[in-house]
Amino acid sequence: MDKDSEARLHAYLEDHLTGALKATALLRDARGRWDGGTDAFFEALLSEIEADRGALEDVLARVGAEPSRLKNAAAAAAEKALALRHRLIDERLALVEMLEALLLGVRGKRALWVVLEDLARTNGRLSDVDFGALGRRAEDQLERIEQRRRAAARAAFADA
């Protein structure tokens, strides 16, 4: 891989790591707000997404990339702004919007695993990572989030 391709790959992976950090922050907030009682939806999703983030951090290390402090700081600021907005609007609407943000992030993560699975065919540093399994887990997450999002939307907009 030439130097320019390597730099593009590093930037791509760093951007996805930033997204993973945003997702985990959203889920930590959500677990405290909406996982009351016996419902552990967000706790389970948080555990899986933290594991996915760990897999991504492993990929970054394999290719010699390092997390971007600037991108991570920007992600933290954006997440705090989103969390504040969600505290200022109706709880039911906040839940729908948060689930939609998670859907977008997991769709992006699924696309990442597909790209890396293709790249692993020619890049020995990645050849032993099971990107197919990571992709299947992302698909499962998408299904569960979508079910929860639709239920939340029905509840939020029942009288509309």
Side-chain angles (χ1 to χ4, degrees):
M1 185 176 285
D2 70 33
K3 198 172 193 173
D4 289 339
S5 292
E6 193 79 17
R8 286 190 297 273
L9 176 62
H10 290 195
Y12 180 67
L13 295 172
E14 291 163 8
D15 289 347
H16 275 278
L17 181 59
T18 299
L21 294 170
K22 284 194 274 191
T24 55
L26 276 176
L27 286 165
R28 283 189 188 105
D29 181 58
R31 130 186 107 179
R33 293 176 69 188
W34 293 294
D35 255 2
T38 60
D39 185 6
F41 175 82
F42 293 112
E43 184 67 38
L45 197 55
L46 174 61
S47 177
E48 291 175 18
I49 289 179
E50 285 176 333
D52 294 340
R53 188 185 76 210
L56 180 54
E57 288 169 342
D58 177 60
V59 169
L60 265 85
R62 286 170 180 256
V63 301
E66 293 184 21
S68 168
R69 290 183 185 172
L70 178 61
K71 289 177 184 178
N72 291 343
E79 186 281 322
K80 288 186 186 321
L82 184 60
L84 175 60
R85 180 188 186 295
H86 284 166
R87 297 228 181 260
L88 297 175
I89 64 174
D90 181 273
E91 283 289 308
R92 293 167 295 180
L93 178 57
L95 177 59
V96 172
E97 289 183 356
M98 189 274 306
L99 289 164
E100 288 180 353
L102 283 174
L103 272 176
L104 291 172
V106 175
R107 284 184 181 128
K109 176 177 63 178
R110 174 66 183 111
L112 165 72
W113 298 142
V114 169
V115 165
L116 293 176
E117 186 173 37
D118 288 345
L119 183 59
R121 292 185 181 103
T122 59
N123 188 319
R125 297 174 294 180
L126 303 176
S127 62
D128 64 334
V129 179
D130 190 352
F131 293 112
L134 290 164
R136 288 186 295 279
R137 181 162 58 193
E139 289 169 7
D140 180 64
Q141 291 166 357
L142 287 169
E143 288 178 29
R144 288 182 287 141
I145 296 167
E146 178 60 12
Q147 288 174 0
R148 184 69 172 244
R149 184 194 69 84
R150 291 180 73 178
R154 284 191 300 273
F157 310 127
D159 297 327

